[in-house]
Amino acid sequence: MEKLGSGLTRICNETKALEGYKEELKPAFKSTPAQFQTILYVAADTQNVGDHDGDGSETKLTERQHKILNLIKESPTITGKQMSETLSVSQRTIERDLSALQKKGVLKHEGKDNDGVWVLNT
């Protein structure tokens, strides 16, 4: 089990890794006895990452997606669980990234879910 609050460190680290990061965009955390808030700031000169119509024409990849592709280049049979452990993110996060990469046509999976191979579309 993860240590309590370790996700907050990951939020900060992932934010710092973003292109165009500035210290004033650092995530803020607020808590009361009844709730906990995470506030993420977006630079005025950046595009909303999620703003596209899903037609697959969006080819810009996140830093983590580039890392996933590098892991797959090194080991095409790597599992989502292995990727999540290597990149210190949840397995569900990896699954979302893999799905996005497949929708963008960058990646495909051949074979069975538990015994297949990742293929990069170059």
Side-chain angles (χ1 to χ4, degrees), residues 14-31:
E14 288 292 325
T15 304
K16 285 179 183 177
L18 293 173
E19 184 179 326
Y21 172 79
K22 298 174 186 164
E23 194 61 32
E24 60 264 20
L25 300 176
K26 181 178 168 182
F29 304 101
K30 295 181 181 180
S31 66

Side-chain angles (χ1 to χ4, degrees), residues 56-98:
S57 63
E58 186 71 33
T59 56
K60 188 171 183 180
L61 303 179
T62 66
E63 183 175 342
R64 187 175 55 241
Q65 289 171 340
H66 283 290
K67 290 178 182 178
I68 288 170
L69 294 176
N70 287 334
L71 289 173
I72 290 170
K73 285 177 190 173
E74 293 172 14
S75 176
T77 58
I78 191 168
T79 65
K81 183 177 181 180
Q82 291 168 326
M83 287 185 236
S84 72
E85 291 169 355
T86 302
L87 299 177
S88 299
V89 296
S90 73
Q91 193 167 342
R92 181 66 189 120
T93 297
I94 295 295
E95 290 168 2
R96 280 192 298 269
D97 280 336
L98 290 171

Side-chain angles (χ1 to χ4, degrees), residues 43 76 108 113-114 121:
K108 68 180 176 180
D113 286 346
N114 61 350
N121 297 329

